[in-house]
Amino acid sequence: MVLTGAYASPATKARRAAAAALERVGGIDGNVSNLSIVSFPHTFDPADGDVETTRIEPSDAELAALAKARRKDRGRRRALDRSRRASNPGQYRPSKRQQARAERRQAAGLLARIVETPGGARAANKAGVPKQPYRRDSLSAGFRLDRARLAEAAATQAAAKDHRARRIAEEITAEHGANLIVEDCDIRTWYRRWGKALQATTPGRLITALGRECEKTGGRMLRASTFTTKLSQACFCGEKVVKTLADRIHTCPACGLTGDRDKVSAALCAHVHLTDPDHPSTARLDTVQARHTQ
């Protein structure tokens, strides 16, 4: 059981066999908003097949569902914070609004009102460390129930994203084959820059699922270093075309090629060769083959 492959249905085996027989090579360009795939026949001869392109981006229904899930998640987290503050009022300071109201009541000669749920910051020492650790807080039964619901919702969303990534990976390999090349980008850098915007497209999940599907189909997804290829700044003719992130259209002043920036980069990625498939830094763009393809 350990040394053999996992179970696959007859339909899955037939689909993977058909994808392995395509004999195509493709390139992938991933970014925050979409995933572009362009593939050619492995001979790069128009007589052996056409150029196939695919763009993966979330639909309006998926974006609406994601926005709804975010609102629910934000509401649950706020409820957890309110419950923790109400159960541990001595560990939080009053908010500026609550302090101002207390000062107005004192100036008017009224009795001080007890603040049941402080809205200020956590009581901490001069170094900013909370005086009481969070693990020692008193937690109500409602807090524990809401925390369990939040964890369950997060697990459900993660499972749904994994299923979507696997489904998309199966569709891509069925159309473009199992021999693909993708730029070796650090998704962690994208998260530091764009944050939760990546939750809509989940490029990391898609690329990981695509790599696994390529291996199960009998091919492989190779990674090419962006430092040695610089596909977003190159053209088929070999000319360097400098673009910023805001420039989404590729326009070459030398050969006049105009097209979608992501698809041009994905098409160029299919012309990358690696001296060592296990090391992305050995990737180089085959400019001669790119000119013939153009």
Side-chain angles (χ1 to χ4, degrees):
M1 291 177 60
V2 174
L3 298 180
T4 58
Y7 169 78
S9 64
T12 300
K13 292 180 180 179
R15 174 179 52 77
R16 289 174 178 172
L22 288 178
E23 295 184 349
R24 299 182 66 86
V25 59
I28 305 173
D29 181 80
N31 55 46
V32 178
S33 60
N34 61 72
L35 200 71
S36 299
I37 305 97
V38 179
S39 64
F40 303 86
H42 71 287
T43 59
F44 292 97
D45 188 352
D48 295 333
D50 297 329
V51 181
E52 300 291 343
T53 64
T54 302
R55 181 187 292 273
I56 305 298
E57 54 187 355
S59 62
D60 294 339
E62 291 175 339
L63 292 176
L66 181 63
K68 183 178 179 180
R70 285 178 178 173
R71 289 194 298 269
K72 286 187 176 181
D73 181 78
R74 185 166 56 250
R76 292 191 181 102
R77 293 186 182 279
R78 287 180 176 177
L80 287 177
D81 183 68
R82 289 193 300 269
S83 178
R84 182 184 289 273
R85 290 174 181 273
S87 301
N88 305 273
Q91 302 302 323
Y92 293 90
R93 300 189 180 94
S95 64
K96 293 182 179 180
R97 185 175 181 179
Q98 292 170 342
Q99 291 177 1
R101 183 174 58 186
E103 292 174 358
R104 289 197 302 268
R105 293 182 62 87
Q106 183 178 5
L110 301 176
L111 295 177
R113 179 177 295 180
I114 299 176
V115 180
E116 297 181 355
T117 306
R122 181 93 172 183
N125 56 21
K126 294 181 179 180
V129 179
K131 295 182 178 180
Q132 176 176 294
Y134 284 94
R135 65 178 182 273
R136 296 184 179 178
D137 286 352
S138 300
L139 304 179
S140 63
F143 179 93
R144 301 178 189 276
L145 181 61
D146 289 341
R147 185 173 58 182
R149 289 174 177 172
L150 183 64
E152 181 182 4
T156 302
Q157 293 176 9
K161 292 177 181 179
D162 288 338
H163 176 74
R164 173 179 178 269
R166 289 194 299 267
R167 176 178 54 81
I168 293 176
E170 293 172 357
E171 296 174 355
I172 291 175
T173 53
E175 182 178 358
H176 300 278
N179 297 308
L180 303 173
I181 303 174
V182 63
E183 288 185 317
D184 187 27
C185 299
D186 192 352
I187 306 298
R188 295 173 298 179
T189 304
W190 296 4
Y191 270 98
R192 284 194 294 268
R193 182 162 186 174
W194 289 286
K196 294 183 178 180
L198 293 176
Q199 293 182 355
T201 54
T202 61
R205 290 177 185 267
L206 291 177
I207 294 176
T208 302
L210 193 54
R212 285 197 294 261
E213 185 64 25
C214 288
E215 292 180 359
K216 294 178 181 179
T217 308
R220 186 176 180 182
M221 186 182 70
L222 303 178
R223 294 179 177 269
S225 174
T226 57
F227 296 98
T228 58
T229 56
K230 298 180 181 180
L231 301 178
S232 61
Q233 311 295 327
C235 182
F236 278 89
C237 64
E239 187 71 17
K240 181 179 179 181
V241 183
V242 180
K243 296 185 289 291
T244 63
L245 290 176
D247 299 329
R248 309 313 306 172
I249 301 298
H250 172 87
T251 303
C252 180
C255 65
L257 175 64
T258 302
D260 183 80
R261 167 185 178 155
D262 301 330
K263 292 185 178 180
V264 171
S265 298
L268 286 172
C269 198
H271 296 77
V272 171
H273 295 287
L274 284 84
T275 306
D276 187 353
D278 296 327
H279 292 81
S281 59
T282 61
R284 297 294 186 275
L285 176 62
D286 190 349
T287 56
V288 176
Q289 181 61 61
R291 292 193 188 98
H292 284 292
T293 302
Q294 185 182 16

